[in-house]
């Protein structure tokens, strides 16, 4: 029963976390809460199934995820420096994408993605490090 | 597989409800995000990620179009050549396919490519009798059918039979 429900609920939580991640600009949400929500969905998987199953399902190294998140956040800052603007200067504009129509894109989004990855990585790394102490 | 399709449709609807806008575009975006989540968690599912089969079906379609064009060119060459130096023949092609659907699909694909024609199946469904307009090498032709159509069909239908 727990297994069956987890298999469905995980996907719904992950979808909601992605919604929160993208809602951050105009609504409550953002990288931090989205990342925590993703981490909680993955944690639900860890709680329901045994370690080896989930290790196989999620073959991620969370330390690397933290590093790549920090790298993305720093790179968005450095890119604006290379173009002659101050560090972390935000560019934004309205683009006419095919299919989507007019979309407001800002460089705050990749910065938020960096935050998201760091939060997911740190939350899961802390929990998993505490969780397995027999190593 | 049906469960996964249902799940991704439900996820797309939840995405529409969260966005509070009910357009086809939101459905597509939600469906795409659902596919993405399914892809990340594909090892978590009990059976294979179903989108692989969609990709395999598209591959089969393109393979069919490619074979159709090549075989048509071959037939044009035979028809327009002044000498009738062809060797028609009937070849028994062994097949690994099991279900009726797969066999029917294979038979139709062979028949639809010009130059070859499926005549009959053997009683135990292990062999197809294929009539070909020009068979210089029997083994080569069997290999060709097995490596193209049979493999592609197996990818579509048996992708979860590991």
């Amino acid at each position: 029963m727990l297994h069956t429900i987890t298999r469905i609920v995980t996907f719904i939580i992950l979808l909601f976390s992605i919604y929160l991640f993208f809602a951050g600009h105009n609504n409550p949400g953002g990288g931090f809460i989205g990342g925590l929500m993703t981490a909680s969905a993955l944690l639900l998987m860890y709680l329901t199934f045994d370690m080896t199953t989930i290790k196989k399902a999620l073959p991620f190294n969370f330390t690397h995820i933290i590093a790549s998140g920090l790298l993305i956040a720093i790179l968005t800052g450095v890119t604006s420096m290379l173009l002659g603007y101050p560090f972390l200067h935000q560019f934004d504009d309205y683009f006419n994408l095919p299919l989507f129509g007019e979309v407001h894109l800002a460089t705050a989004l990749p910065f938020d993605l960096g935050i998201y990855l760091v939060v997911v990585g740190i939350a899961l790394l802390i929990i998993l490090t505490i969780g397995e102490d027999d190593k | 597989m049906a469960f996964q399709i249902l799940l991704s449709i439900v996820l797309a609807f939840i995405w529409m409800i969260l966005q509070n806008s009910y357009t086809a575009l939101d459905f597509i975006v939600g469906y795409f995000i659902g596919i993405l989540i399914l892809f990340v968690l594909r090892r978590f599912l009990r059976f294979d990620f179903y989108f692989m089969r969609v990709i395999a079906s598209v591959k089969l379609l393109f393979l069919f179009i490619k074979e159709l064009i090549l075989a048509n060119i071959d037939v044009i060459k035979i028809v327009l050549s002044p000498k009738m130096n062809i060797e028609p023949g009937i070849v028994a092609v062994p097949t690994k396919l099991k279900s009726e659907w797969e066999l029917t699909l294979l038979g139709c694909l062979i028949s639809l490519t010009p130059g070859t024609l499926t005549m009959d199946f053997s009683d135990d469904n292990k062999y197809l009798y294929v009539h070909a307009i020009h068979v210089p090498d029997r083994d080569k032709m069997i290999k060709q059918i097995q490596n193209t159509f049979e493999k592609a069909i197996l990818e579509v239908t048996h992708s979860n039979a590991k």
Side-chain angles (χ1 to χ4, degrees):
Chain A
M1 164 105 180
L2 190 61
H3 284 208
T4 323
I5 291 178
T6 305
R7 276 177 195 282
I8 299 169
V9 165
T10 311
F11 292 106
I12 296 172
I13 300 175
L14 282 175
L15 188 78
F16 186 57
S17 74
I18 290 173
Y19 164 74
L20 280 176
F21 172 69
F22 282 113
H25 207 62
N26 301 318
N27 291 309
F32 185 75
I33 188 70
L36 276 184
M37 192 68 89
T38 305
S40 70
L42 300 182
L43 186 62
L44 179 68
M45 286 166 63
Y46 276 106
L47 283 174
T48 316
F49 296 92
D50 54 305
M51 272 312 225
T52 44
T53 319
I54 302 303
K55 276 255 169 67
K56 222 172 72 202
L58 298 170
F60 305 127
N61 186 335
F62 292 113
T63 323
H64 292 176
I65 289 181
I66 297 173
S68 55
L70 282 173
L71 200 66
I72 291 169
I74 292 168
L75 278 179
T76 45
V78 172
T79 319
S80 62
M81 277 172 86
L82 292 176
L83 296 171
Y85 292 93
F87 184 60
L88 281 177
H89 181 85
Q90 199 206 145
F91 304 98
D92 65 316
D93 208 347
Y94 289 87
F95 291 97
N96 256 321
L97 296 181
L99 192 71
F100 285 92
E102 198 172 55
V103 182
H104 183 205
L105 289 178
T107 52
L109 190 71
F111 188 75
D112 235 16
L113 181 70
I115 296 171
Y116 177 87
L117 290 175
V118 171
V119 169
V120 171
I122 285 182
L124 282 169
L125 196 63
I126 289 172
I127 291 160
L128 293 182
T129 315
I130 297 171
E132 44 182 55
D133 57 356
D134 50 332
K135 264 200 307 198
Chain B
M1 184 177 165
F3 170 76
Q4 282 182 50
I5 295 171
L6 197 68
L7 183 64
S8 53
I9 289 172
V10 167
L11 287 179
F13 271 108
I14 292 173
W15 179 260
M16 282 159 82
I17 292 163
L18 286 172
Q19 294 286 348
N20 205 11
S21 81
Y22 303 93
T23 58
L25 178 65
D26 284 290
F27 185 82
I28 293 166
V29 173
Y31 193 85
F32 179 73
I33 290 173
I35 290 290
L36 207 71
I37 296 172
L38 277 169
F39 178 73
V40 172
L41 293 182
R42 65 190 180 281
R43 292 186 197 82
F44 178 57
L45 299 159
R46 235 177 252 146
F47 24 77
D48 255 15
F49 175 51
Y50 81 91
F51 215 68
M52 292 294 177
R53 289 189 182 197
V54 177
I55 293 167
S57 319
V58 174
K59 255 197 216 156
L60 178 64
L61 182 71
F62 276 106
L63 176 74
F64 170 63
I65 292 170
K66 185 190 131 209
E67 289 288 318
L68 188 65
I69 292 168
L70 287 180
N72 266 311
I73 291 169
D74 280 351
V75 173
I76 289 172
K77 271 186 203 154
I78 291 169
V79 170
L80 293 183
S81 71
K83 282 183 230 143
M84 283 285 279
N85 51 354
I86 52 168
E87 302 164 43
I90 296 171
V91 181
V93 179
T95 176
K96 279 183 294 215
L97 301 176
K98 292 269 151 45
S99 76
E100 283 183 12
W101 274 108
E102 293 162 15
L103 284 165
T104 311
L105 189 61
L106 180 63
C108 289
L109 287 179
I110 289 172
S111 294
L112 278 169
T113 48
T116 49
L117 187 70
T118 316
M119 296 172 69
D120 205 359
F121 298 103
S122 67
D123 290 334
D124 54 357
N125 281 347
K126 290 241 170 74
Y127 290 92
L128 273 91
Y129 298 110
V130 177
H131 180 272
I133 197 165
H134 184 49
V135 226
D137 186 353
R138 187 178 57 134
D139 293 327
K140 203 174 145 203
M141 187 200 142
I142 291 175
K143 275 263 162 53
Q144 202 214 341
I145 288 177
Q146 280 181 341
N147 283 340
T148 54
F149 290 135
E150 195 182 27
K151 221 167 110 196
I153 291 173
L154 275 175
E155 257 176 53
V156 176
T157 54
H158 273 261
S159 52
N160 60 343
K162 276 185 287 192

